[in-house]
Amino acid sequence: MSDSVSGCPEQPRSAVTEAEVEALVRGICFKTGPPRTLGVEVEWLVHELRDPRLPVTPERLEAAYAALRTEHLRSALTVEPGGQLELSSPPATSLMECIGTVSADLDVARAVLREHDLELVGLGNDPWHPPRRFLRQPRYDAMEAYLDRAGPAGRAMMCTSASVQVCLDAGYEEPGPLGHGRRWWLAHHLGAVLVAAFANSPLAGREPTGWLSTRQLLWMEIGAGRAGAPPLDGDPRAAWARHVVDAPVMCVRRRDDGPWHVPDGLSFREWTRSGAPRPPTQEDLDYHLTTLFPPVRPRGHLELRMIDAQPGEDGWIVPLAVATALFDDPEAAETAYRAVKPLAERAGSLPAPHNPLWVDAARSGLADPELREVADICFAAALEALPRLGATTEVTDAVAAYRDRFVVRGRCPADDLLDELYGTDRTLHGKDIRT
């Protein structure tokens, strides 16, 4: 959601053809080579310090963010449409470098927000407040108009959701546990395990939704064209290029200050062929790519977008460490691949997140026995790999504690939230709130 792109250029640019679009996408989606860098994007809800159920006015948010923008941060600071705050790390050459950079920036952000009686809250979906736009920009006006056609999920995704997004290099060109084809496949199957293990959004409107990751449910409801993955059969570059050109265009930017055009059912392929309402340019393609929200987005590197925001000041470190270990350590990557391979049959032919595997992960979390077993194997592999990646004892201890508290017991943070509200009985008006 933090893909900030400037408005349409003032000077007309050359139109791109259908063939040029596919070639451009193929060229930029996977930048192969040995995994050397990683990054993380941490999104947070911003709530009233005294009581998270109290609303925060836009004026208070704007004052706090204006103060924060005067601070020196190494991470990029962005604000989401509903006022959520995001810090995006620069590419780091090691896990500990990434953790150190973002941790320092978060310390600064929390101190500034406390001066305004505000705090960062790690939840995948706001349990207390309805969707409310904070940013009023042509991009988000057009996005809201487009997403409203499919129902209320789009507004909720824009304004009440938050995540931990892990960014990893695409991998080697050749096959093997660190090859880009294997990493692409693994991301779409291990992704369901990450959804289940880190589900942390069981509420909306102060009521249980019946899903442990309501945030993931929102992405499903937005639709496959906007928030789905391409089929995994065949070459990843070709599959992603086809997906991009066949995806619906969210909006056509204007060169003046007027509202952007929001077409109905126009794919980028059709736009290149018709040239209406104006011929698309490479800048339009670049923008179109930022309006696609699959669970794994190739942007030269791989962006894992399926993990809910995590509780606690340092909860985001655990999914970052686990994902990094399972992708960048060859031994752990091979273990993870073998562990999740049986899940491919369960996923069936439907791409993520609209297949049965991902639906079960978002609804039931690690109460699902198969997902629990695979998660336990993967966490064990990550714990063995983390020292090889230079992780400190503090980081490995945090991953081990998470495994003991949640994974081994078939639980996730959403279970704790439901227990706090309804007790371990887990029923509301005689109905199991997890079904």
Side-chain angles (χ1 to χ4, degrees):
M1 283 300 302
S2 64
D3 307 289
S4 58
V5 177
S6 61
C8 197
E10 293 184 3
Q11 298 299 321
R13 302 294 180 93
S14 299
V16 288
T17 66
E18 183 179 340
E20 288 172 336
V21 168
E22 293 205 19
L24 285 167
V25 175
R26 283 171 178 259
I28 64 177
C29 59
F30 292 92
K31 302 293 186 183
T32 53
R36 290 197 180 101
T37 61
L38 69 148
V40 69
E41 301 174 13
V42 286
E43 296 176 340
W44 303 85
L45 304 177
V46 179
H47 283 168
E48 167 64 50
L49 184 62
R50 296 167 296 165
D51 184 347
R53 295 168 178 81
L54 296 176
V56 179
T57 65
E59 291 76 16
R60 287 182 64 197
L61 281 180
E62 185 54 54
Y65 293 157
L68 184 53
R69 290 188 185 99
T70 67
E71 300 289 339
H72 175 70
L73 302 174
R74 289 194 60 198
S75 303
L77 169 67
T78 52
V79 178
E80 299 297 320
Q84 310 98 306
L85 184 143
E86 178 179 284
L87 291 177
S88 301
S89 73
T93 58
S94 72
L95 174 63
M96 295 313 304
E97 178 188 334
C98 183
I99 291 173
T101 297
V102 178
S103 295
D105 288 341
L106 283 170
D107 287 343
V108 173
R110 290 191 178 97
V112 170
L113 291 175
R114 277 196 299 270
E115 294 176 356
H116 294 263
D117 294 322
L118 299 172
E119 66 174 343
L120 299 178
V121 176
L123 287 166
N125 187 64
D126 195 321
W128 314 118
H129 306 292
R132 181 194 63 177
R133 283 271 303 284
F134 170 70
L135 296 180
R136 294 291 171 181
Q137 299 172 3
R139 168 181 171 88
Y140 297 121
D141 292 343
M143 182 181 292
E144 184 177 278
Y146 175 91
L147 294 174
D148 278 351
R149 293 171 179 167
R155 289 197 183 204
M157 176 275 292
M158 292 172 64
C159 299
T160 63
S161 69
S163 68
V164 176
Q165 299 178 16
V166 180
C167 300
L168 302 163
D169 283 337
Y172 288 98
E173 188 67 30
E174 60 267 19
L178 300 186
H180 78 282
R182 170 77 70 84
R183 287 161 76 87
W184 178 246
W185 185 95
L186 178 63
H188 287 88
H189 291 89
L190 180 61
V193 181
L194 298 176
V195 168
F198 296 108
N200 187 35
S201 52
L203 305 171
R206 309 193 179 202
E207 295 289 340
T209 64
W211 296 69
L212 295 185
S213 179
T214 300
R215 174 181 167 275
Q216 192 60 51
L217 170 64
L218 296 174
W219 287 114
M220 292 183 216
E221 292 181 337
I222 288 171
R226 182 65 47 200
L232 294 182
D233 54 329
D235 174 64
R237 288 188 176 92
W240 178 245
R242 286 194 301 269
H243 184 75
V244 168
V245 296
D246 288 330
V249 174
M250 178 176 285
C251 54
V252 178
R253 297 173 296 164
R254 294 179 54 148
R255 294 187 173 89
D256 55 30
D257 294 330
W260 295 357
H261 175 57
V262 182
D264 189 3
L266 175 71
S267 71
F268 205 93
R269 188 186 304 278
E270 293 166 340
W271 190 12
T272 61
R273 292 175 177 178
S274 69
R278 60 169 175 78
T281 65
Q282 184 173 340
E283 287 75 18
D284 291 314
L285 173 62
D286 294 340
Y287 185 82
H288 176 63
L289 289 167
T290 72
T291 69
L292 301 179
F293 309 114
V296 183
R297 186 162 62 176
R299 306 183 68 185
H301 58 274
L302 298 182
E303 185 180 79
L304 309 185
R305 303 174 52 85
M306 72 290 295
I307 303 168
D308 281 358
Q310 295 297 290
E313 292 191 355
D314 299 326
W316 59 275
I317 294 175
V318 174
L320 170 63
V322 170
T324 301
L326 295 178
F327 278 86
D328 286 359
D329 180 84
E331 185 177 336
E334 185 65 25
T335 299
Y337 172 72
R338 292 177 180 176
V340 304
K341 201 170 184 179
L343 299 178
E345 181 177 347
R346 185 168 164 186
S349 60
L350 289 175
H354 298 91
N355 61 52
L357 175 65
W358 281 69
V359 171
D360 291 343
R363 190 196 302 272
S364 303
L366 295 186
D368 182 292
E370 188 176 17
L371 286 168
R372 174 183 177 179
E373 179 182 1
V374 174
D376 196 28
I377 294 171
C378 288
F379 267 72
L383 282 168
E384 291 182 2
L386 282 170
R388 297 194 290 265
L389 296 177
T392 62
T393 301
E394 185 179 11
V395 170
T396 57
D397 285 350
V399 174
Y402 192 97
R403 182 193 180 198
D404 292 342
R405 178 177 178 180
F406 294 115
V407 179
V408 172
R409 300 167 62 199
R411 292 173 60 86
C412 58
D415 290 303
D416 283 359
L417 284 171
L418 292 173
D419 283 351
E420 289 175 12
L421 288 174
Y422 301 106
T424 55
D425 177 38
R426 290 301 188 82
T427 59
L428 181 65
H429 308 308
K431 181 180 178 182
D432 188 340
I433 57 181
R434 283 175 39 159
T435 60

